[in-house]
Amino acid sequence: MSHYVPQAEGVAIHYGGVKALDGVDLTLEKGQIHGLIGPNGAGKSTVIDAITGRRRLTRGKVSLMGDDVSEFGAVERRRRGLAWRAAFSAPASLAACWCSARWSWPHTRWA
């Protein structure tokens, strides 16, 4: 079993001719919390939506604990312990979003 919780490899989301994301790679290890910060329209929310299944990938792969979850929607990814939260505490021109991945097994939680 992989010690990485969520991994994104070559993730792309295109809306018609617009490439919202193109070739994003992201790896998080157990217990880590990462932040995404940038100007409006930079793709922060789209990255989180891609990882958590709220947006369908144009291409790429998302895995959770070594298992490919790319074809799973948000409900199944949440059931497996992958969820998101958003916090807006940066200056008005910036938005900060963070993804919290929890591996949940019956009666056990890792936060």
Side-chain angles (χ1 to χ4, degrees), residues 4-110:
Y4 297 113
V5 180
Q7 282 186 288
E9 301 173 51
V11 168
I13 295 183
H14 300 172
Y15 300 109
V18 176
K19 295 180 179 181
L21 298 177
D22 197 37
V24 173
D25 294 316
L26 176 71
T27 301
L28 301 176
E29 294 185 32
K30 289 181 187 177
Q32 291 183 331
I33 297 174
H34 288 261
L36 296 175
I37 191 164
N40 291 341
K44 302 172 302 290
S45 296
T46 307
V47 168
I48 302 302
D49 289 349
I51 293 169
T52 59
R54 293 169 48 124
R55 296 280 183 261
R56 189 159 191 84
L57 304 179
T58 301
R59 74 170 177 275
K61 176 182 172 183
V62 174
S63 56
L64 181 62
M65 299 299 285
D67 296 326
D68 187 352
V69 296
S70 302
E71 297 300 318
F72 298 152
V75 173
E76 179 61 20
R77 292 184 199 189
R78 178 178 288 271
R79 189 184 73 73
R80 290 173 178 248
L82 184 61
W84 75 276
R85 296 183 182 123
F88 299 97
S89 58
S93 62
L94 303 174
C97 295
W98 57 276
C99 177
S100 170
R102 292 183 300 194
W103 176 250
S104 298
W105 197 256
H107 314 294
T108 305
R109 287 196 178 206
W110 295 37

